Amino acid sequence: MQKLVIRGEKRLSGEMTVQGAKNSALPLLAGCVLCSGEVTLKNCPSLSDVFASCRILNCLGCKSRYHDHCVTVNASALSECAVPEDLMREMRSSIVFLGALLGRAGECELSFPGGCELGPRPIDMHLGALAQMGVQINEEFGVLCCRCPHGLHGAKISLSFPSVGATENIMLAAALAKGDTVIYNAAREPEITDLGDFLCSCGARISGHGTSTVAISGVSSLHGCEYEVMPDRIAAATYMSAAALTGGELDLKNARACDMQAVIPVFEQMGCQVFTYENRIFINCKRPLKAVRTVRTMPYPGFPTDAQAVVMAALTRARGTSVIVENIFCSRYRHVDELVRMGADIKTEGKVAVVEGVKRLYGARVRAADLRGGAALVLAGLAAQGETEVENVCYIDRGYENIEKCLRDAGASIVRVTE
Ligand code: UD1
């Protein structure tokens, strides 16, 4: 068991390089299954979820190797279509292997990802869309057995909600399907654009990715390519919150402001100055921070649910009352009780959290219950008086590469302790 021990009240300043995006790297790694040549993915973050994806690829008979933020995958020897249950359990996003395996092999067996720390996460939209493309799905004892007896074919698919995972699975399955697929009400997240760009670099014919209508014309094969994973907009938002909470200033390299149009204004409303350049964001914060009226999580281009917890951490110290409405997941306030233990004044009812800014947070022993909520506790610890211990670091490691080193290099006092 590892924990992070933080001595708070140190102002952060300096330069930081933002990691590659986890939420893009994982579907890209699944997409490698479709390619007959070697794929090299650069700027791949060094994260437990990335290594789990590589293990899945190796179990399927592909050859994958991670070296210094670069993953090479050769899927030409794919020999298996079943993802082992323990690897499915390790990360929810393993569900994107479904579309990729169906696209490549026309069959797939994997265990149902089920609920997770954010509450129930159904996949009915993924399965409904794949059924439209000719997939027969049987579920027995939590295992999904999918086959396409007559091959995968294109379809016109209307999603009832712009689901990120469903859009990714359909794009992956459709890239090698017979004929044309159109996704209406597709998710528009930048990670979808990245997946579409990657697949096009491998020879896929996809247009409209990044808009709500994505069109895919199936091709007979995909080749390898070299591709650079986009910067992680959620990690960037996390470090911006760290600067805000400590009254600091950070120069974030490899950060793309164009992907953060709903996030940057929230920091500006808090009173931070934000300057954006190509692939770089500079944030300068003076305390006291100001409350913001309402932050509503929405599908992109709205405010991302993944940034809700880390922005809430900053708002605990903002003068006045801020309101957060979490519209994507029903159980995404598990960090609130822990922030309250540190002196925050937050009340939740259903989707809504009301944050009254306090003058001071106090160090405490707290426990991460999920990835972004865990990061929020680390941020609160940076601003708190005294010592904070954040337990269950394994959650945070799923999404942040060496978070303690990034923060320490900018002046924080934070160490990892193995018990
Ligand atoms: C979601 C987030 C994504 C984030 C990721 C990890 C959105 C729209 N999606 O992606 O930004 O990076 O979590 O935190 O913000 N749903 C169904 N049936 C389905 C699929 C989804 O009912 O088949 C519902 C979910 O319960 C949820 C919502 O749709 O309420 C969003 O789902 P989706 O975008 O698919 O989730 P993820 O792909 O996990």
Side-chain angles (χ1 to χ4, degrees):
M1 285 283 273
Q2 295 191 321
K3 61 184 179 186
L4 292 170
V5 180
I6 306 152
R7 292 219 133 259
E9 297 189 297
K10 304 256 189 301
R11 181 175 180 272
L12 295 197
S13 75
E15 226 178 78
M16 233 183 228
T17 301
V18 176
Q19 68 192 50
K22 166 183 97 88
N23 289 341
S24 181
L26 303 181
L28 262 54
L29 284 165
C32 292
V33 164
L34 296 167
C35 302
S36 39
E38 185 169 282
V39 175
T40 302
L41 292 178
K42 294 176 172 174
N43 198 33
C44 236
S46 169
L47 298 172
S48 50
D49 276 9
V50 167
F51 303 135
S53 293
C54 290
R55 281 202 296 281
I56 292 180
L57 287 166
N58 292 340
C59 279
L60 298 173
C62 310
K63 288 196 179 74
S64 76
R65 200 164 56 90
Y66 183 96
H67 178 69
D68 192 18
H69 299 103
C70 193
V71 183
T72 50
V73 182
N74 194 324
S76 44
L78 184 103
S79 53
E80 262 295 327
C81 300
V83 180
E85 193 192 341
D86 52 327
L87 290 173
M88 276 305 288
R89 274 180 193 280
E90 232 174 272
M91 52 167 193
R92 146 99 199 175
S93 35
S94 48
I95 192 66
V96 281
F97 278 92
L98 175 61
L101 278 167
L102 286 169
R104 169 77 189 270
E107 57 181 298
C108 169
E109 201 178 291
L110 39 76
S111 57
F112 214 79
C116 78
E117 62 271 15
L118 306 182
R121 293 176 86 171
I123 54 166
D124 54 306
M125 276 189 258
H126 305 228
L127 300 183
L130 292 169
Q132 272 185 265
M133 298 176 73
V135 182
Q136 286 182 358
I137 301 156
N138 283 313
E139 193 210 326
E140 255 179 41
F141 310 114
V143 177
L144 284 169
C145 295
C146 304
R147 317 235 172 286
C148 320
H150 309 293
L152 260 188
H153 55 76
K156 288 191 171 14
I157 297 161
S158 282
L159 295 177
S160 56
F161 178 89
S163 155
V164 174
T167 304
E168 289 166 346
N169 256 329
I170 301 165
M171 286 168 68
L172 289 163
L176 291 180
K178 214 176 261 169
D180 297 337
T181 298
V182 184
I183 314 172
Y184 299 104
N185 198 24
R188 290 180 280 167
E189 269 68 3
E191 293 76 15
I192 298 283
T193 310
D194 217 29
L195 176 63
D197 287 347
F198 162 70
L199 292 172
C200 288
S201 304
C202 299
R205 287 176 57 205
I206 303 179
S207 61
H209 43 300
T211 76
S212 52
T213 306
V214 181
I216 306 122
S217 289
V219 294
S220 55
S221 66
L222 293 183
H223 49 75
C225 77
E226 206 175 284
Y227 192 82
E228 185 163 331
V229 178
M230 63 175 278
D232 194 315
R233 60 194 171 106
I234 307 302
T238 303
Y239 295 124
M240 287 174 80
S241 270
L245 265 165
T246 62
E249 56 177 38
L250 286 177
D251 191 356
L252 300 175
K253 299 271 162 66
N254 194 37
R256 241 169 40 185
C258 58
D259 298 335
M260 301 177 69
Q261 297 302 333
V263 173
I264 290 171
V266 174
F267 287 99
E268 288 173 333
Q269 284 167 41
M270 284 188 228
C272 307
Q273 282 181 305
V274 182
F275 302 96
T276 63
Y277 310 90
E278 211 192 331
N279 280 336
R280 193 178 139 212
I281 298 174
F282 181 80
I283 180 164
N284 182 10
C285 312
K286 283 192 190 65
R287 283 194 304 207
L289 298 171
K290 291 184 277 191
V292 299
R293 219 171 274 162
T294 312
V295 176
R296 287 188 178 80
T297 66
M298 304 279 256
Y300 191 85
F303 187 92
T305 174
D306 284 348
Q308 176 256 107
V310 295
V311 164
M312 180 189 282
L315 293 173
T316 61
R317 289 290 315 274
R319 192 178 276 172
T321 308
S322 307
V323 175
I324 296 179
V325 186
E326 171 54 61
N327 288 310
I328 307 294
F329 292 112
C330 59
S331 182
R332 210 166 191 180
Y333 282 139
R334 293 176 67 191
H335 46 285
V336 166
D337 284 351
E338 303 298 281
L339 289 172
V340 168
R341 285 164 78 101
M342 299 177 71
D345 180 351
I346 309 168
K347 296 198 174 51
T348 58
E349 198 171 319
K351 291 172 157 196
V352 179
V354 178
V355 186
E356 295 284 351
V358 292
K359 284 224 170 75
R360 186 149 273 140
L361 294 173
Y362 300 94
R365 249 175 112 155
V366 289
R367 186 165 289 179
D370 62 70
L371 160 57
R372 306 299 170 186
L377 302 179
V378 171
L379 300 183
L382 297 175
Q385 192 177 62
E387 194 172 273
T388 297
E389 290 185 9
V390 181
E391 297 176 347
N392 280 353
V393 187
C394 53
Y395 284 117
I396 301 171
D397 290 338
R398 290 186 42 205
Y400 295 91
E401 181 176 326
N402 217 337
I403 192 169
E404 70 274 23
K405 183 173 184 314
C406 286
L407 294 170
R408 206 165 41 231
D409 287 351
S413 166
I414 173 169
V415 288
R416 182 181 289 251
V417 176
T418 304
E419 285 178 321

